[in-house]
Amino acid sequence: MSAPGSLTASDNAASSDAARFDAVVVGAGPAGSAAALVLARRGHRVCLLERGPYPGSKNMYGGVVYPRILDELLPGWWEEAPVQRWVTRRATMMLTADQALTVDFRSEAWGQPPYNGATALRPDFDAWLAAKAVDAGALLVTSTTATGLLRDGPGGTVGGVTTDRPGGDLRARVVVACDGVNSFLAKEAGLYGKPDPANYTLGAKEVLALPAATIEDRFALGPGQGADFEIIGCTGDIAGGGFLYTNRDSLAVGVVLHLPALAAAGVRPEQLIAGLKAHPAVAPLVAGGELVEYSAHLIPEGGYDMMPTLTGPGMLVAGDAAAMCLAAGIWLEGVNFAIGSGMAAGESAAEALERGDVSEGGLSGYERRLRDGFVLQDHRRLRHAPHLLLSDRVQRRYPQLACDIVEDLFTVTNPEPKPGIGRLVRRRVASSGVRLRHLAADSWRALRTFG
Amino acid sequence: MIPASAPVPVSFEDRMATVDFRVAADAHITVDGDACRGCSTRACVTACPANLFVPMADGGILFNYEQCFECGTCYLVCDTAGAITWRYPEGGHGVAFRRS
C-alpha cells in the first residue's frame, strides 16, 4: 500500500504527458480493485485511488460475499480470501410482534470448495482484493480523495481526475469511477439524473463480539461454518428488513430502511436495531454480545431502473456507483455485482486503450459485456423486485397473515376437531384485510419477477 | 447454552465511541441555518444514523461533522434546496471502519 507521500511520483508523472496513466480507477472497493487488476494484467499503467486510509475503510455491508465470480480471475481464491465463515445455513424469517415463521435451509456442500457465500469484513476483503491489483502492477494511492473530473473542455472527453493533494491532478486516458453509492464523479459527468431518495435504503448495523464456540452452539454450526438470516417484518412502519450474520467471533445484526419512510417516521435507526435484538426469536441469539462497532451506509436499492448512463467519453461507472447492488428480497448481493461490473469495465477499458479509441463508442464493450453476463441480466429480470418488496403488503400484511395461518395450523384446539386447511386459510385471509385480488396480483407479480 | 444476561443498554455516546474517526480540520458538510429555519420536516434529525443534526431553539440546526459515517442520508432526505452541502472529507480522514 502506498504511503500518503507517494503521490509525489505521480505528480511528476502528471506534468509529463507521456508518463500519464492509462487508467485512473477511483475507489479501491471490489469494483475498483477488480477493474484495476484486469487493466494491470493487460499491461496498462493503472492508478487505483482510495480516499480512505486503507481499502475497505469507508465500506460497510450486511456481511455476505458470493465470490464465485472470482473463479476465473483468481483461481483457488478460497485458499487465501480473508473469510470469516462459510455460509452453510440460510434462513428467511418473517416476524410479527410476537411470532416468527422461519424458512431455514442448510447445506454441507456450501461448506466445501468451491463454496457459495461467506461472511467477511470489508477492511479485510477489500484490502486483499486491492493487493491483488497491486501485485499485478497497479499503483494504489490511499488517503486521497478524487474531487472532480479533468475534461478536454466543457462536456469533453474525461482525461483524469483532480484530487485533494497539492498538485495532485491525475491525468489518464480512461477514468473508471467506482466511487460508491454517492458517486460524485458520475453525477459530475451528468450520467445520473436528480437523485431520488426512494431509490435508496440506509443500512445500519452493530457488530457484537461473542466467542466462536458460543456462536457455533447458538446457530448449530460446525467450526468455520456460518449462518445468514434475512428478516422481514422487523422495521415497524418503515419499509425495509433486517439481517443477522455470523462472523468468526462476532455477529452482525442490523436493519435496512427505505429512506423516504425513515425520513417520515421520526424513528432513529439504532432504535429499530434495538427492537430487532429484543424480539423473542432474535434475543437469545444475540444475548451477551458486546457492541464492538456500529456502522451505517447507503444502499442503491432501486436496481436497474435507477442505474446511470454507464459510459461517457473517457469514462466508465461500475459497482455501487452504477447502482449495481442487487436488493431483490431473497437475493441480496452486491460485492459480486461490483466485482463483475469492475471486471467488465477493466476489460472494456483495456480493449479501448489497445484500439486507441476511448470515446463513448470505443468504450461501448462495457455495456455489451454487462448485458451478456449476469450483472445486467439479473438486474433486468429483477427490476420490479425492489418495488414489490418494499410494498406495505409484502412488508407487513403478508408476514402477519403467514404467521397467523401457521399458528392456526399448529394450535391444537381440542375438543374441537381440526379445521380443513383450506377453510383455515380462507378464514385468516378474510380477517386479515388482504383482498384476494391483491393477493392474486402480488402472486402474479412475484411469479413474473422471480419465476 | 444461552446466557440469561439481559442486554446492557449502550448510550449513544458509547455507541459512537466504538467507531474510529480521523477528524479532518475542515468540515465536509455545511448546513445553511437560514434554510433550515423554514423547514418543518427536519428529516435529517432522526434519519442520520450518527445523530449529528441537533435542532436548536431558534429553529436552526446545529451540525457536528466529526462523527459522520459519510453515508449521504442527510442530503438525500433533505427537501430544502441548498440546506445541506455535502462532499467527501479530505483523503485519509473521516470514518475508518475496522469490522464492517
Side-chain angles (χ1 to χ4, degrees), chain B residues 69-98:
Chain B
F69 286 130
E70 299 155 38
C71 68
T73 297
C74 57
Y75 82 87
L76 281 169
V77 299
C78 179
D79 51 16
T80 306
I84 297 176
T85 311
W86 202 93
R87 60 186 169 90
Y88 288 133
E90 186 189 343
H93 292 78
V95 71
F97 292 126
R98 295 163 290 110

Short mmCIF file of all heavy atoms in Angstrom, two decimals, chain B residues 69-98:
data_model
loop_
_atom_site.label_atom_id
_atom_site.label_comp_id
_atom_site.label_asym_id
_atom_site.label_seq_id
_atom_site.Cartn_x
_atom_site.Cartn_y
_atom_site.Cartn_z
N PHE B 69 -20.65 9.14 9.31
CA PHE B 69 -20.38 7.87 8.61
C PHE B 69 -20.17 8.08 7.11
O PHE B 69 -19.88 7.14 6.39
CB PHE B 69 -21.55 6.91 8.79
CG PHE B 69 -21.64 6.30 10.16
CD1 PHE B 69 -22.84 6.32 10.86
CD2 PHE B 69 -20.55 5.67 10.74
CE1 PHE B 69 -22.95 5.74 12.11
CE2 PHE B 69 -20.65 5.08 12.00
CZ PHE B 69 -21.85 5.12 12.68
N GLU B 70 -20.40 9.30 6.64
CA GLU B 70 -20.28 9.62 5.21
C GLU B 70 -21.25 8.80 4.37
O GLU B 70 -20.92 8.35 3.28
CB GLU B 70 -18.83 9.42 4.74
CG GLU B 70 -17.84 10.31 5.48
CD GLU B 70 -16.42 9.77 5.51
OE1 GLU B 70 -15.98 9.20 4.51
OE2 GLU B 70 -15.76 9.92 6.55
N CYS B 71 -22.46 8.58 4.93
CA CYS B 71 -23.41 7.73 4.21
C CYS B 71 -24.18 8.51 3.14
O CYS B 71 -24.49 7.96 2.09
CB CYS B 71 -24.36 7.01 5.17
SG CYS B 71 -25.54 8.05 6.05
N GLY B 72 -24.55 9.77 3.42
CA GLY B 72 -25.31 10.55 2.44
C GLY B 72 -26.79 10.62 2.72
O GLY B 72 -27.53 11.26 1.98
N THR B 73 -27.25 9.98 3.80
CA THR B 73 -28.67 10.01 4.13
C THR B 73 -29.19 11.44 4.27
O THR B 73 -30.25 11.78 3.76
CB THR B 73 -28.92 9.24 5.44
OG1 THR B 73 -28.56 7.88 5.24
CG2 THR B 73 -30.38 9.33 5.87
N CYS B 74 -28.42 12.30 4.93
CA CYS B 74 -28.92 13.65 5.25
C CYS B 74 -29.27 14.43 4.00
O CYS B 74 -30.34 15.04 3.91
CB CYS B 74 -27.90 14.39 6.11
SG CYS B 74 -26.26 14.54 5.38
N TYR B 75 -28.38 14.43 3.00
CA TYR B 75 -28.69 15.28 1.84
C TYR B 75 -29.78 14.66 0.97
O TYR B 75 -30.51 15.36 0.28
CB TYR B 75 -27.42 15.61 1.04
CG TYR B 75 -26.92 14.57 0.06
CD1 TYR B 75 -27.40 14.53 -1.24
CD2 TYR B 75 -25.97 13.64 0.44
CE1 TYR B 75 -26.94 13.58 -2.14
CE2 TYR B 75 -25.49 12.70 -0.45
CZ TYR B 75 -25.98 12.67 -1.75
OH TYR B 75 -25.52 11.73 -2.63
N LEU B 76 -29.92 13.32 1.04
CA LEU B 76 -30.98 12.69 0.25
C LEU B 76 -32.37 12.89 0.87
O LEU B 76 -33.35 13.04 0.15
CB LEU B 76 -30.71 11.19 0.06
CG LEU B 76 -29.68 10.88 -1.03
CD1 LEU B 76 -29.26 9.41 -0.97
CD2 LEU B 76 -30.24 11.19 -2.42
N VAL B 77 -32.45 12.90 2.20
CA VAL B 77 -33.78 13.09 2.81
C VAL B 77 -34.15 14.56 2.93
O VAL B 77 -35.30 14.90 3.17
CB VAL B 77 -33.92 12.42 4.21
CG1 VAL B 77 -33.71 10.92 4.11
CG2 VAL B 77 -32.99 13.04 5.23
N CYS B 78 -33.18 15.45 2.77
CA CYS B 78 -33.43 16.89 2.92
C CYS B 78 -34.25 17.40 1.74
O CYS B 78 -33.88 17.20 0.59
CB CYS B 78 -32.11 17.65 3.00
SG CYS B 78 -32.33 19.42 3.17
N ASP B 79 -35.37 18.06 2.03
CA ASP B 79 -36.17 18.58 0.91
C ASP B 79 -36.09 20.10 0.82
O ASP B 79 -36.90 20.73 0.14
CB ASP B 79 -37.62 18.09 0.99
CG ASP B 79 -38.24 18.33 2.35
OD1 ASP B 79 -37.67 19.13 3.12
OD2 ASP B 79 -39.29 17.73 2.64
N THR B 80 -35.12 20.69 1.51
CA THR B 80 -34.93 22.14 1.41
C THR B 80 -33.69 22.39 0.55
O THR B 80 -32.58 22.10 0.97
CB THR B 80 -34.73 22.75 2.82
OG1 THR B 80 -35.82 22.36 3.65
CG2 THR B 80 -34.67 24.27 2.74
N ALA B 81 -33.93 22.92 -0.64
CA ALA B 81 -32.82 23.09 -1.60
C ALA B 81 -31.72 23.94 -0.98
O ALA B 81 -31.98 24.99 -0.40
CB ALA B 81 -33.35 23.74 -2.87
N GLY B 82 -30.50 23.45 -1.07
CA GLY B 82 -29.35 24.22 -0.63
C GLY B 82 -29.07 24.20 0.86
O GLY B 82 -28.11 24.81 1.33
N ALA B 83 -29.91 23.49 1.65
CA ALA B 83 -29.71 23.50 3.10
C ALA B 83 -28.47 22.70 3.51
O ALA B 83 -27.75 23.08 4.42
CB ALA B 83 -30.95 22.96 3.81
N ILE B 84 -28.24 21.58 2.84
CA ILE B 84 -27.11 20.72 3.19
C ILE B 84 -26.17 20.61 2.00
O ILE B 84 -26.59 20.22 0.91
CB ILE B 84 -27.59 19.31 3.62
CG1 ILE B 84 -28.45 19.41 4.88
CG2 ILE B 84 -26.39 18.38 3.86
CD1 ILE B 84 -29.05 18.09 5.34
N THR B 85 -24.92 20.97 2.20
CA THR B 85 -23.90 20.81 1.16
C THR B 85 -22.95 19.73 1.65
O THR B 85 -22.43 19.81 2.76
CB THR B 85 -23.14 22.12 0.93
OG1 THR B 85 -24.09 23.16 0.78
CG2 THR B 85 -22.28 22.03 -0.32
N TRP B 86 -22.76 18.74 0.84
CA TRP B 86 -22.11 17.51 1.28
C TRP B 86 -21.04 17.10 0.28
O TRP B 86 -21.27 17.09 -0.92
CB TRP B 86 -23.19 16.43 1.33
CG TRP B 86 -22.94 15.26 2.20
CD1 TRP B 86 -23.33 15.13 3.50
CD2 TRP B 86 -22.32 14.02 1.84
NE1 TRP B 86 -22.96 13.89 3.97
CE2 TRP B 86 -22.35 13.19 2.98
CE3 TRP B 86 -21.73 13.53 0.68
CZ2 TRP B 86 -21.82 11.91 3.00
CZ3 TRP B 86 -21.20 12.25 0.69
CH2 TRP B 86 -21.25 11.46 1.85
N ARG B 87 -19.86 16.81 0.77
CA ARG B 87 -18.82 16.24 -0.09
C ARG B 87 -18.06 15.24 0.77
O ARG B 87 -18.34 15.10 1.96
CB ARG B 87 -17.90 17.34 -0.63
CG ARG B 87 -17.21 18.13 0.48
CD ARG B 87 -16.42 19.32 -0.06
NE ARG B 87 -16.00 20.20 1.01
CZ ARG B 87 -14.84 20.08 1.67
NH1 ARG B 87 -14.01 19.11 1.39
NH2 ARG B 87 -14.53 20.91 2.65
N TYR B 88 -17.11 14.55 0.18
CA TYR B 88 -16.31 13.63 0.98
C TYR B 88 -15.27 14.40 1.77
O TYR B 88 -14.77 15.44 1.31
CB TYR B 88 -15.59 12.62 0.08
CG TYR B 88 -16.50 11.59 -0.53
CD1 TYR B 88 -16.41 11.27 -1.88
CD2 TYR B 88 -17.43 10.92 0.25
CE1 TYR B 88 -17.24 10.32 -2.45
CE2 TYR B 88 -18.26 9.97 -0.32
CZ TYR B 88 -18.16 9.68 -1.67
OH TYR B 88 -18.97 8.74 -2.22
N PRO B 89 -14.90 13.92 2.95
CA PRO B 89 -13.85 14.59 3.70
C PRO B 89 -12.49 14.44 3.01
O PRO B 89 -12.33 13.62 2.10
CB PRO B 89 -13.84 13.89 5.06
CG PRO B 89 -14.67 12.67 4.91
CD PRO B 89 -15.46 12.78 3.66
N GLU B 90 -11.57 15.25 3.46
CA GLU B 90 -10.21 15.20 2.95
C GLU B 90 -9.69 13.76 3.00
O GLU B 90 -9.95 13.03 3.96
CB GLU B 90 -9.35 16.11 3.84
CG GLU B 90 -7.95 16.30 3.37
CD GLU B 90 -7.12 17.04 4.43
OE1 GLU B 90 -7.69 17.65 5.35
OE2 GLU B 90 -5.88 16.96 4.32
N GLY B 91 -8.92 13.36 1.97
CA GLY B 91 -8.39 12.00 1.91
C GLY B 91 -7.71 11.58 3.21
O GLY B 91 -7.00 12.39 3.82
N GLY B 92 -7.93 10.34 3.62
CA GLY B 92 -7.29 9.82 4.83
C GLY B 92 -8.03 10.17 6.10
O GLY B 92 -7.67 9.70 7.17
N HIS B 93 -9.06 11.03 5.98
CA HIS B 93 -9.79 11.46 7.17
C HIS B 93 -11.21 10.89 7.17
O HIS B 93 -11.60 10.22 6.23
CB HIS B 93 -9.82 12.98 7.24
CG HIS B 93 -8.48 13.58 7.48
ND1 HIS B 93 -7.53 13.71 6.49
CD2 HIS B 93 -7.90 14.05 8.61
CE1 HIS B 93 -6.43 14.23 7.00
NE2 HIS B 93 -6.63 14.46 8.29
N GLY B 94 -11.92 11.18 8.25
CA GLY B 94 -13.29 10.72 8.36
C GLY B 94 -13.35 9.33 8.97
O GLY B 94 -12.43 8.89 9.66
N VAL B 95 -14.47 8.65 8.67
CA VAL B 95 -14.68 7.34 9.30
C VAL B 95 -13.69 6.31 8.77
O VAL B 95 -13.27 6.37 7.59
CB VAL B 95 -16.14 6.87 9.08
CG1 VAL B 95 -16.39 6.48 7.63
CG2 VAL B 95 -16.50 5.73 10.01
N ALA B 96 -13.25 5.41 9.63
CA ALA B 96 -12.38 4.30 9.21
C ALA B 96 -12.91 3.03 9.87
O ALA B 96 -12.57 2.71 11.01
CB ALA B 96 -10.93 4.57 9.62
N PHE B 97 -13.78 2.32 9.11
CA PHE B 97 -14.36 1.09 9.66
C PHE B 97 -13.29 0.01 9.79
O PHE B 97 -12.37 -0.07 8.97
CB PHE B 97 -15.48 0.57 8.74
CG PHE B 97 -16.70 1.45 8.72
CD1 PHE B 97 -17.20 1.92 7.51
CD2 PHE B 97 -17.35 1.79 9.88
CE1 PHE B 97 -18.34 2.72 7.47
CE2 PHE B 97 -18.49 2.60 9.86
CZ PHE B 97 -18.98 3.06 8.65
N ARG B 98 -13.43 -0.83 10.80
CA ARG B 98 -12.48 -1.93 11.02
C ARG B 98 -13.15 -3.30 10.94
O ARG B 98 -12.52 -4.29 10.59
CB ARG B 98 -11.84 -1.80 12.41
CG ARG B 98 -10.96 -0.57 12.60
CD ARG B 98 -10.71 -0.30 14.07
NE ARG B 98 -11.93 0.15 14.73
CZ ARG B 98 -12.62 -0.57 15.63
NH1 ARG B 98 -12.20 -1.74 16.02
NH2 ARG B 98 -13.74 -0.10 16.14
#
